[in-house]
Structure formats: structure tokens, C-alpha cells
Amino acid sequence: MTKKNTLGITVKKDKDFSEWYTQIIQKADLADYSSVSGCIVYKPNSYSIWEKIKEITDKKFKAVGIKNAYFPLFIPESLLQKEAKHIEGFAPEVAWVTHAGSSKLNERLAVRPTSETIMYDSYSKWIRSYNDLPLRINQWNNVVRWEFKHPTPFLRGREFLWNEGHTCFATKEEAEAEGKEIIDIYDDVCKNYLAMPSLIGKKSEKEKFAGAVYTISMEFIMPNSKSIQGPDFHHDGQNFSKPFEISYTDKEGNKQYVWQNTWAISTRMLGVLIAMHSDDKGLILPPKVASTQAVIIPIFFSDTKAKITKEAQKIKDRLQKTGISVHFDDREGYSPGWKFNEWEIKGIPVRIELGPRDLEKNEVVIVRRDTNEKQTLPLSALAKEVELILGQIQDNLYGRAEELLKKSVIQVDNLKEAKEQLNLQKIIFSPWCGDTGCEDKFKEMTGAKSLNSPLEQPKLKKDQKCFACKEKAKYWFYLGKSY
Amino acid sequence: MTKKNTLGITVKKDKDFSEWYTQIIQKADLADYSSVSGCIVYKPNSYSIWEKIKEITDKKFKAVGIKNAYFPLFIPESLLQKEAKHIEGFAPEVAWVTHAGSSKLNERLAVRPTSETIMYDSYSKWIRSYNDLPLRINQWNNVVRWEFKHPTPFLRGREFLWNEGHTCFATKEEAEAEGKEIIDIYDDVCKNYLAMPSLIGKKSEKEKFAGAVYTISMEFIMPNSKSIQGPDFHHDGQNFSKPFEISYTDKEGNKQYVWQNTWAISTRMLGVLIAMHSDDKGLILPPKVASTQAVIIPIFFSDTKAKITKEAQKIKDRLQKTGISVHFDDREGYSPGWKFNEWEIKGIPVRIELGPRDLEKNEVVIVRRDTNEKQTLPLSALAKEVELILGQIQDNLYGRAEELLKKSVIQVDNLKEAKEQLNLQKIIFSPWCGDTGCEDKFKEMTGAKSLNSPLEQPKLKKDQKCFACKEKAKYWFYLGKSY
């Protein structure tokens, strides 16, 4: 009988993170390279996590009145160019369609890197009066950014999946208030489902979105202490509504331009999730986003097979009734030990072993994927116990990620210490001037860049100086090496 | 106060179907043209129906063991060319990416018109042994076919959304058996949710999918008696597995090529749905796919406003508890009559009118969108009654569509009558030879083409001749004018 290669991961996460990450993607069957350079295949094991993220997030969007729509994949070149900073930011990475069939197109079409321009072209026709506001539309789609940097599955690629919300409000205040609502939703999804805390704050002028007034980002600290930007919210002010002529007549009959935001969460989060929780044995998934939460593995011999199978089926039914998604691995020709390994690599939170001796005692053996802890449980209380254990795993994973985040950040107020800490793979939290020139210089010197500035932050000392250039400090900022 | 243009539809469905269709798309706020020719915006009112179709269908796919994944949008030209008939069928409509940023690509990339070739390139790496089969993978995505025919929102456009299932089996028998399973799922969705019956059968050699051994299609007869192809299933035999080298080692250790199928349902069904059920007043939606099933419209004067609002809120809560999705239209500055019109055009199945006199009698007025029937109901039984009425609307819409289908098809066995009936806007059901030459000739003569041949069909008379060319008839076939 042919068996798939299920050799474990051959390197340690804390020794060679990048090779460990590459192996886990392949061995947990999460993604595959494709014949299009920089584009991956999202295999069912990772796509099912994305489906969960979408489902959870989308429900929260709908609950606050956001509606989904779908806009064209293509954007005419002339439209993409309407907002100067936007095109400047995206032009180097645009994939251009120039031909259809055997005909050359009159105008090149961009494959959307983001949809502001095509959506705002419509919005300018749809919005007439204050009665048409707010307009809060979202789409779940694919976008293409032809980056030339080294691609990494999920974390950096030329095509990814995301949501892009694009909203219009009558006033600046209403638009800005949406920021809290959206970031709260993303934070809820990341914390309570993906089991990951983040640093939430405002990006620097240099690092904000191309075309935005300001950007609020969620920065995750990876186990290799590099930071990576997760979901974000951009307040665009009237930067787009003016060139795109998105205006309305107010109650007094005056013409006003709308105030806009855009916000997104992408499949990059799959990479962050995988890297954050998993270990040297393979993938570890938070139960709330695992499409299979428990696997039953029978240990049978020819004489006990029928009995064990029947009991396993009963356990499966009982767990499903409690709302636990469970798989019964009844494949023949694979040893229990081989199956243990396979489901361990694939990150199923709970393993239930069912053998003839356990069954005689009306017991089963349960193994937690996060701690490898083994316990024997009476059959009668199983569903309730498994539910409890799933909750404990969820909490434990969050706790570990939070500890990692805390350990990674260190407060420093001078350049010497900043350099030392960055060399020790830390994220620094420092009083900073926010100046783009200072940021460029610091990046050249250390390879680190600014992450963000917490929305609520400690007070700066009177006359506090910038940790890097000694000019006046304006805010506390997170800075570090990042993806 | 500015009010949106809610003028009704100005033409009759049975007088000028095409203009009626154009108006309903705009006035029910379903789609909008975009600045990319042939590509539309799916507005929330139509996209929400697509979300329902996806959700319902996807659940059924998962229940039979199909898994979702996501493959790249782009296909290298060399890959697309691997199966000769496939590229021949799609080449004239491919949108080509030739540049990224300011660089010319080494090889042109097709924006996927369908994903066989990019998926099978992966499958050939993933499948090794009979243990890896069946492989049943589906994706929900966007595809581009740069047609040069006149576009019609939903029915024909250059970008559309769909599911594409691509499966591999060890044997021809298993692959073919999937046909029934998949067509049953699509038929269930179309009949029991979209309230539309169809003609199900095998396509002719001329009309089958580019690369398939055979195609099973579902053909819908539109109210203008033109047919349109809906969901379909293609059995590809080993036509792709051989050029793509998708092979496995069987139990005896021999190399075998897999047997494959592909199948799809697309956003075209939105157009069919809209056209099928709606009337001269606007959209009519089957309750099972309406994201809002009932709307409460208060009729209040300044002194009764508080009381009516409170009662409306109570009704809303009660209906929601029963699982009915309901909207309370409490906008000010719009008259009840104006609101009646708006929700009528937008196709909400049930309207609940709540005025002070009704309230005094503990009653409400209910209006059915499909029949315009008005009835007064006691408040106490409301939720139950509305549920019942929604079921009746669903059944009534199906009944009407079924009647239309029956009326549209007529059995004929000779060319003269065939021509007469086609001129009377009928679909004909005829004994046919199936020959491509005969089909070409018939199409040239009448503008009609073959639709499909029912899987279970009446027996042909001994020595039955083809209705068109008088050669030997091979099957009963539906033929007609189509989109």
C-alpha cells in the first residue's frame, strides 16, 4: 500500500523559522506553488480557514449595516490615474491587460490592485443627496499586486483574497467614527477567533496608504520577532471624493463632497495564524477556526473492528450534536500511529483514541494538540469535556501569543539602546518625531521601520526628544524589523 | 426633500421584453454599467441573491464531500494550450496580461476564462495513488470571457461569478455517476429555491463544452420564449488527464489516467431569475432567496407615530423570531404610497401595512407581491400567517414558471411545422439525427440551435427519420432560439 510522505518537519521553529514555515505549508497541505510565479494555490486545508474568517467577519459587517456588492476586476488606466498619490503607489505593481482574443485594446486595463477608483466612479453616479448617505459597501474578492520582492506563501504574493470596504459619509466626524467600529470588528475576529493580539495604532506619514489622510493598522509580531501588518483602516478624507466628484446636496441645498474610508482584512492572516501558533510537530489551529475540531482514531484488531466502529460512530454523532465538528478516520491500511502523526501535522485541536481496552472500561483517551497532554475520560461525559477542552485550547493559544507579544516589545528612548534592542530582535516603543526624513535615515541605519502609534498612549515627558534625531518627539511609536 | 427616481417601469413585459428587462435591472437597483465595457457592477440587491445561491449550493456540495480551494487567476499561455479543443474554444475570448508595472512579461498570462488547465497542472502533482482518489475540488470565483456579442446584464457579460468544480475519479463509472449527484444539486437549487424548472439533458456534439466528452445542461425558457443555458456538468473522460499527465498507480501497481468532470452554476442565473418571475410593476423574488422577505410600512400621523412605531418594532421582533427576515421602513419624509411603490419595484415578497385604525382593531393589512392580493390579518396570528404566505408565494412562482415552460415546448416531427412553431416563439421537441452538419444547416435556416436531449426520453418510432434532414433519427431533442 502506497502511503503519502508524512515525515515530520525537519527543522526547529526557533532555529530556522523560514525553513520551518516553508515545510509546515507543504506538510500540513496548506498551499502549493503554481506555475504562475508568485501566485499560490490555496488548498482546502487553508481555504477552509479563510472561509471561516470570511463568514465570521461578514456577519459582523452585516450586523452594523454594511452591504456586499461586486465591482469589475478591471480598471481602465485613465480611471486608476485620477488620484495622483494612489497611482504613484500602485503603478509599479499593476498587471496590465492589453489584448482580448487577437485584438489590441484601445486602453490598457489594470487588474485591480485595490478598487477605490472603479468603485468611486460608480459612487459619483449613485450619490446625489444626503438621503443617499452613508453608503457602506464591501466586497470580498481577489486582487493582484505584481511585487518583485521574494514571495512567501500567504504573507507576500502576487494575488491574494481580501475584503475591501469603501464607505462614504456626509461628515468627517461620522467617517472617522467608523474607524473604531471597523477596527473593533477586526480586533474581535483576530483576538477571539484567530487567538492573536496585535499592536493597534496610526501609521506614519511615510507608511500610510497611498491616497489616505491617515491609516490605522493592526501589527502582529511573528515568532521570529518581525512585525507584519494585518487588517487596516484608512481615512481618506476628501482625497478621492474631489477628483472623483462624489458629492451630495445637503439639507440646505448646498453641494458637499463626501468623506471616505476604506478597510481590509486579507489572506495574509492565514500566514500569520499558521506561523503564530504552530510548533515543531506541525500546524496548530485555534478551535474556533478549525474546520475539523476533533478526530476519532480507532485502534482495532480484526475481532474488535465492528464494535469499535459502532462506538466511534456513536461518539461522532454525540459530538456533532454538541456543535463540535468531528472526523472519524476509519481508513484501512494505515496504522493508528501513522494517523496520529498525520492529524498532528495538520493541526486538528483534539485527538480521540478509541481502543478495545478503553472501550471495556467505557473510557477514551484524549490528546490536546497544543500541549500534547493526554487524559483518559469517561465516555458518558465526553461531549461536554471535549467542548471544555476546545475552549481551553483557544484560551491557551491566545495566552501564548499575548506573552510572545509582550516579550517582543521593549521601551527605549535613545538611539544606542534602540540599535541594541533591534539587534536582539525586539520591537521598540519610543518617543518619536514622526518625520519622514528621520524615518528614512533610521531605516537605512538599522533596517527597521515605523509600525504605528497607539491610539491611546502614554504621556510624553515635557520637552521629550525624538529617540533617533533628537528633534521634539510627537508621539510614542512602535518601530521594528518587518515583513 | 430630494426623492430618488422611482418612476415605475414604462413598458410591458410581454410587449417589449428587452426594454422591460433593462428597466427592471436599473429601477430595482440590481446592477449598473461600469466604465469597463461589457462588465457590470453587481449592486447589493442582486449580489445578496448570489450570496444566497452560493450559500445554499455550497452547503450541498460540502454535504457530499466536495472541498473548496482557490487557484490563481492567471494561466500561462503554454498551459492554456495543452488541450487542443479547449484552447480552440476559449482563445478568441481571452483577456491577456502582457505587462507588470513597467516590465514586459516573458510569457503572456490569460485571465482565467475557466480553470481546467491551471488546476490540472496541480492535480498532476497531487495525485499519485488510488488512495488520492476521488479528488473533488471546487472554487467560487470570477472568470473573464471577452465576448464581442452584445452584453446584457447578468445574462451575457465579460466577467461573471460562478462555481467551478473539477473532479478526478479512478474509473469512468464513478466519474459519470457524479453527473447525477451534481445535476440533482443544481436542479434542487433551481427548483426549490429559485422556483424555476428546466429542461435537463445532453447537449449535441456541436454545443458541448470545449474539451468535454459530453455535456449535460439545464436549459431555462425565458418569458420571451428564448432558451438560455443554466448550470451544466461536463464529463471530460481522459481528454485532459492524458495531456496533463494526471495519473495514478492502481492496486495492482499499474499506471492509470484519471477520469474527470467539471461543473458550474453562474451569476447568469440572477438574470434568468429576475426575468422569469417579475412583472410590469417590478421585481418579484422567491421568498427563499430574498434577503428581505417582508417589509413593514407604518402609516402614521404625528399623534400616532410613537404608538405605531412601537407596535411595528414588536411585529418585526416577532417575525424575526420565526426566522423571517424583515425590514421596518421608518424613514421620514416619504409617504406610505411612495414606500409601497419602492418595495414593489424591489420585489419584497410581503408588505405589511400598519395604520392607526388597523391597530385599534389589532389587525394589519398584508399585501402579496406576486398576486397583489390584499388581506387583513389579526396581529395575534401574524408570524404564522406570514410564514404560510411566504410558502404560498414560493409555490405560486414555481407553478407559474412551470406553466410557462409547458406552454413553450411543442412536439413536432417535420421541418415545415418546426419552422412554423419557431416563428410562433416555441421551443420544439423533435426526433433528430444529432449531426453537426444538419444542425449548422438548420441554424442557418431558422436561427435556432439544439438545446439538449432529455436523459430519459420517449421511445423513437422504428425507422423514425430526423425532422430536419430525413436521415435516421437518434434521439428526441429540444431545439429553439436561444441567448
Side-chain angles (χ1 to χ4, degrees):
Chain A
M1 172 148 302
T2 326
K3 286 181 186 173
K4 283 190 207 160
N5 171 21
T6 52
L7 281 177
I9 294 168
T10 57
V11 292
K12 301 283 178 205
K13 184 177 182 180
D14 61 1
K15 290 284 183 299
D16 186 351
F17 177 78
S18 140
E19 170 62 17
W20 170 86
Y21 183 78
T22 303
Q23 287 196 19
I24 206 167
I25 297 294
Q26 289 170 337
K27 295 188 177 176
D29 220 10
L30 294 161
D32 198 4
Y33 301 102
S34 80
S35 53
V36 186
S37 140
C39 296
I40 59 162
V41 179
Y42 296 76
K43 296 181 85 169
N45 284 353
S46 65
Y47 192 76
S48 66
I49 307 171
W50 179 240
E51 285 184 305
K52 290 263 180 196
I53 295 176
K54 253 169 82 171
E55 190 190 322
I56 295 160
T57 314
D58 194 63
K59 199 177 275 179
K60 293 176 194 288
F61 287 161
K62 285 186 174 136
V64 298
I66 292 155
K67 290 188 172 177
N68 288 338
Y70 185 78
F71 286 75
L73 170 68
F74 297 134
I75 306 174
E77 186 164 16
S78 55
L79 254 191
L80 195 67
Q81 289 171 336
K82 265 196 169 176
E83 206 284 328
K85 290 215 172 109
H86 188 70
I87 180 70
E88 194 187 304
F90 285 104
E93 299 177 354
V94 169
W96 292 106
V97 173
T98 57
H99 290 75
S102 51
S103 320
K104 188 165 191 273
L105 300 177
N106 289 329
E107 184 181 9
R108 297 201 297 178
L109 298 172
V111 180
R112 63 179 163 227
T114 178
S115 299
E116 277 80 354
T117 54
I118 188 87
M119 290 173 78
Y120 299 168
D121 187 46
S122 289
Y123 286 8
S124 72
K125 292 184 287 174
W126 297 350
I127 295 172
R128 289 279 168 268
S129 117
Y130 67 90
N131 272 316
D132 301 324
L133 295 172
L135 182 71
R136 302 178 76 187
I137 289 185
N138 174 58
Q139 55 177 343
W140 291 95
N141 60 15
N142 54 339
V143 285
V144 170
R145 296 181 187 175
W146 207 264
E147 298 204 43
F148 293 91
K149 287 189 209 163
H150 185 64
T152 309
F154 304 122
L155 299 177
R156 182 185 302 284
R158 288 177 171 168
E159 182 185 8
F160 57 87
L161 307 175
W162 73 346
N163 94 279
E164 49 176 328
H166 295 274
T167 54
C168 303
F169 295 86
T171 65
K172 184 171 185 285
E173 292 65 39
E174 282 173 88
E176 292 200 84
E178 191 191 50
K180 188 178 155 33
E181 185 171 64
I182 296 298
I183 289 291
D184 280 354
I185 288 175
Y186 287 142
D187 192 33
D188 179 8
V189 172
C190 291
K191 270 189 181 148
N192 299 319
Y193 297 84
L194 304 182
M196 300 192 298
S198 62
L199 305 173
I200 299 178
K202 218 177 249 193
K203 300 289 278 184
S204 70
E205 279 300 303
K206 181 179 161 72
E207 295 290 336
K208 73 181 185 186
F209 181 72
V213 173
Y214 62 79
T215 289
I216 298 172
S217 72
M218 294 170 64
E219 308 281 338
F220 294 82
I221 312 305
M222 299 279 274
N224 64 350
S225 288
K226 273 195 187 173
S227 75
I228 187 160
Q229 186 173 330
D232 46 23
F233 170 89
H234 314 293
H235 174 58
D236 294 335
Q238 298 178 321
N239 288 355
F240 287 91
S241 64
K242 285 181 176 170
F244 281 88
E245 270 296 331
I246 314 176
S247 65
Y248 69 97
T249 309
D250 67 15
K251 283 189 186 174
E252 287 71 39
N254 301 316
K255 175 179 163 175
Q256 304 283 358
Y257 287 100
V258 302
W259 298 83
Q260 295 186 277
N261 301 321
T262 83
W263 26 273
I265 185 171
S266 80
T267 41
R268 169 181 279 187
M269 292 314 290
L270 296 174
V272 184
L273 178 80
I274 292 159
M276 190 70 74
H277 300 305
S278 307
D279 65 12
D280 294 341
K281 288 184 165 188
L283 184 66
I284 298 182
L285 283 181
K288 283 197 189 168
V289 292
S291 62
T292 306
Q293 296 172 312
V295 59
I296 304 169
I297 298 176
I299 301 162
F300 43 52
F301 308 95
S302 50
D303 58 331
T304 52
K305 195 181 156 185
K307 210 173 151 199
I308 297 270
T309 300
K310 203 177 143 196
E311 194 58 41
Q313 200 57 56
K314 263 166 56 188
I315 293 175
K316 187 180 167 185
D317 292 347
R318 222 177 306 147
L319 293 183
Q320 276 175 336
K321 258 183 214 147
T322 324
I324 298 164
S325 65
V326 54
H327 174 66
F328 172 33
D329 184 356
D330 61 349
R331 285 176 298 173
E332 299 195 11
Y334 296 84
S335 72
W338 192 92
K339 291 178 182 177
F340 294 173
N341 274 334
E342 181 175 13
W343 297 116
E344 217 160 53
I345 290 178
K346 291 192 174 160
I348 309 301
V350 163
R351 177 171 91 221
I352 301 168
E353 303 174 6
L354 187 61
R357 267 180 305 177
D358 304 315
L359 199 56
E360 267 170 34
K361 291 185 277 180
N362 280 314
E363 286 175 351
V364 288
V365 173
I366 303 274
V367 184
R368 272 175 70 157
R369 175 64 187 87
D370 61 333
T371 57
N372 299 311
E373 208 180 320
K374 212 168 183 161
Q375 47 190 309
T376 304
L377 289 174
L379 261 179
S380 58
L382 190 62
K384 231 185 143 110
E385 284 294 332
V386 171
E387 212 180 358
L388 217 67
I389 291 170
L390 290 172
Q392 287 164 357
I393 296 174
Q394 184 81 27
D395 293 345
N396 180 41
L397 293 180
Y398 182 80
R400 283 191 200 172
E402 197 179 30
E403 201 181 321
L404 181 72
L405 179 64
K406 278 187 189 152
K407 270 195 348 207
S408 304
V409 178
I410 191 139
Q411 191 171 319
V412 302
D413 67 359
N414 63 77
L415 192 56
K416 185 169 166 284
E417 263 188 88
K419 285 183 188 168
E420 281 167 14
Q421 292 300 336
L422 288 170
N423 280 338
L424 293 170
Q425 314 297 332
K426 297 289 180 190
I427 304 296
I428 59 166
F429 187 51
S430 302
W432 186 45
C433 64
D435 181 69
T436 301
C438 175
E439 179 162 8
D440 285 340
K441 222 159 150 183
F442 183 65
K443 192 176 176 183
E444 213 187 291
M445 211 182 323
T446 61
K449 60 184 192 182
S450 73
L451 308 182
N452 64 30
S453 175
L455 301 179
E456 284 168 30
Q457 48 176 287
K459 239 189 158 165
L460 285 168
K461 272 190 288 184
K462 201 172 165 268
D463 301 321
Q464 173 71 55
K465 297 221 156 57
C466 168
F467 81 99
C469 73
K470 301 291 175 194
E471 291 296 314
K472 191 172 163 42
K474 284 190 187 149
Y475 2 66
W476 285 91
F477 235 93
Y478 295 106
L479 300 99
K481 291 187 184 158
S482 62
Y483 270 88
Chain B
M1 171 148 304
T2 329
K3 286 181 186 174
K4 283 189 207 160
N5 171 21
T6 51
L7 282 176
I9 294 167
T10 57
V11 293
K12 301 283 178 205
K13 185 177 183 180
D14 60 1
K15 291 282 184 301
D16 186 350
F17 177 78
S18 139
E19 170 62 17
W20 170 87
Y21 183 78
T22 303
Q23 288 196 18
I24 206 165
I25 297 295
Q26 289 170 337
K27 295 187 177 178
D29 221 9
L30 294 160
D32 198 4
Y33 301 102
S34 80
S35 53
V36 186
S37 141
C39 295
I40 59 163
V41 180
Y42 295 77
K43 296 182 84 170
N45 284 354
S46 65
Y47 193 76
S48 66
I49 307 171
W50 179 240
E51 286 184 305
K52 291 262 179 199
I53 295 176
K54 253 169 80 171
E55 189 190 321
I56 295 160
T57 314
D58 194 63
K59 199 177 277 180
K60 292 176 195 289
F61 288 162
K62 285 187 173 134
V64 299
I66 292 155
K67 292 188 170 176
N68 288 338
Y70 185 77
F71 286 75
L73 170 68
F74 297 135
I75 305 174
E77 186 165 16
S78 55
L79 253 191
L80 194 67
Q81 289 171 337
K82 265 197 171 176
E83 205 285 329
K85 289 212 173 112
H86 189 69
I87 181 69
E88 194 187 306
F90 285 104
E93 299 178 354
V94 168
W96 292 106
V97 173
T98 58
H99 290 75
S102 51
S103 320
K104 189 165 190 275
L105 300 177
N106 289 329
E107 183 180 9
R108 298 201 297 178
L109 297 173
V111 180
R112 64 178 162 228
T114 178
S115 299
E116 278 79 354
T117 53
I118 188 87
M119 291 173 77
Y120 300 168
D121 186 45
S122 288
Y123 287 8
S124 72
K125 291 184 288 174
W126 298 350
I127 295 172
R128 290 279 168 268
S129 117
Y130 67 92
N131 272 317
D132 302 324
L133 296 173
L135 181 72
R136 302 177 76 187
I137 288 185
N138 175 59
Q139 56 177 344
W140 292 95
N141 60 15
N142 55 338
V143 286
V144 170
R145 296 181 188 176
W146 208 264
E147 298 205 43
F148 292 91
K149 287 189 208 163
H150 185 65
T152 309
F154 304 121
L155 299 177
R156 182 186 301 286
R158 287 176 171 170
E159 181 186 7
F160 57 87
L161 307 175
W162 74 347
N163 94 278
E164 49 176 328
H166 296 273
T167 54
C168 303
F169 296 86
T171 65
K172 183 170 186 287
E173 293 64 39
E174 282 173 88
E176 291 200 85
E178 191 191 48
K180 187 177 157 31
E181 185 171 64
I182 295 298
I183 288 291
D184 280 354
I185 288 175
Y186 287 142
D187 192 33
D188 179 8
V189 172
C190 291
K191 271 190 182 148
N192 299 319
Y193 296 84
L194 304 182
M196 300 193 297
S198 62
L199 305 173
I200 299 178
K202 217 177 250 195
K203 300 288 280 184
S204 70
E205 279 299 304
K206 180 180 162 70
E207 295 291 337
K208 73 182 184 186
F209 181 72
V213 173
Y214 62 79
T215 289
I216 298 173
S217 72
M218 294 170 64
E219 308 281 338
F220 294 82
I221 312 305
M222 299 279 273
N224 63 351
S225 288
K226 273 195 188 173
S227 74
I228 188 160
Q229 186 173 331
D232 46 23
F233 170 89
H234 315 293
H235 174 59
D236 294 335
Q238 298 179 320
N239 288 354
F240 287 90
S241 64
K242 285 182 177 169
F244 281 87
E245 271 295 333
I246 313 175
S247 64
Y248 69 97
T249 309
D250 68 15
K251 284 190 186 175
E252 287 71 40
N254 301 315
K255 175 180 164 175
Q256 304 283 358
Y257 287 99
V258 302
W259 297 84
Q260 295 186 279
N261 301 321
T262 84
W263 28 272
I265 185 170
S266 80
T267 42
R268 169 181 278 187
M269 291 315 289
L270 296 174
V272 183
L273 179 80
I274 293 159
M276 190 71 74
H277 300 305
S278 307
D279 65 13
D280 294 342
K281 288 184 165 188
L283 184 66
I284 298 182
L285 283 181
K288 284 198 189 167
V289 292
S291 62
T292 306
Q293 297 172 312
V295 60
I296 304 170
I297 299 176
I299 301 162
F300 43 51
F301 309 95
S302 50
D303 59 331
T304 52
K305 195 181 153 183
K307 210 175 150 196
I308 298 270
T309 300
K310 202 177 142 194
E311 193 58 41
Q313 200 57 55
K314 263 166 54 187
I315 294 175
K316 188 180 165 184
D317 292 348
R318 221 177 307 148
L319 293 183
Q320 276 175 338
K321 257 182 215 149
T322 323
I324 297 164
S325 65
V326 54
H327 174 66
F328 172 32
D329 183 356
D330 60 350
R331 284 175 299 173
E332 299 195 12
Y334 296 84
S335 72
W338 192 91
K339 290 179 182 177
F340 293 174
N341 275 333
E342 182 176 12
W343 297 116
E344 217 160 55
I345 290 177
K346 291 192 174 159
I348 309 302
V350 162
R351 176 170 92 222
I352 301 169
E353 304 175 5
L354 187 61
R357 268 180 305 178
D358 304 315
L359 199 54
E360 269 171 31
K361 290 185 278 180
N362 280 314
E363 286 175 350
V364 287
V365 173
I366 302 275
V367 184
R368 272 175 70 155
R369 176 64 187 88
D370 61 333
T371 57
N372 298 311
E373 208 180 320
K374 212 168 182 158
Q375 46 190 309
T376 305
L377 289 174
L379 262 179
S380 58
L382 190 63
K384 229 185 146 105
E385 284 294 330
V386 171
E387 211 180 359
L388 217 67
I389 291 169
L390 290 172
Q392 287 163 357
I393 296 174
Q394 184 80 29
D395 293 345
N396 180 42
L397 293 179
Y398 183 81
R400 283 190 199 172
E402 196 179 30
E403 201 180 320
L404 181 73
L405 178 64
K406 277 187 189 153
K407 270 195 349 206
S408 303
V409 178
I410 192 142
Q411 190 170 320
V412 302
D413 67 358
N414 63 76
L415 192 56
K416 184 169 167 284
E417 264 188 89
K419 285 182 186 168
E420 281 167 13
Q421 293 300 336
L422 289 170
N423 280 337
L424 293 169
Q425 314 298 332
K426 297 290 180 189
I427 303 296
I428 59 166
F429 187 50
S430 302
W432 186 44
C433 64
D435 180 69
T436 301
C438 175
E439 180 160 8
D440 285 340
K441 223 160 153 184
F442 184 65
K443 192 176 176 183
E444 211 186 294
M445 210 182 323
T446 61
K449 60 185 191 181
S450 72
L451 308 182
N452 64 29
S453 175
L455 300 179
E456 283 167 32
Q457 47 176 291
K459 240 190 158 166
L460 285 168
K461 271 189 290 184
K462 200 172 167 266
D463 301 322
Q464 174 72 52
K465 296 222 155 58
C466 169
F467 81 99
C469 72
K470 301 292 176 192
E471 291 296 315
K472 190 171 163 42
K474 284 192 189 147
Y475 2 66
W476 286 93
F477 235 93
Y478 296 106
L479 301 100
K481 291 185 184 159
S482 62
Y483 270 88

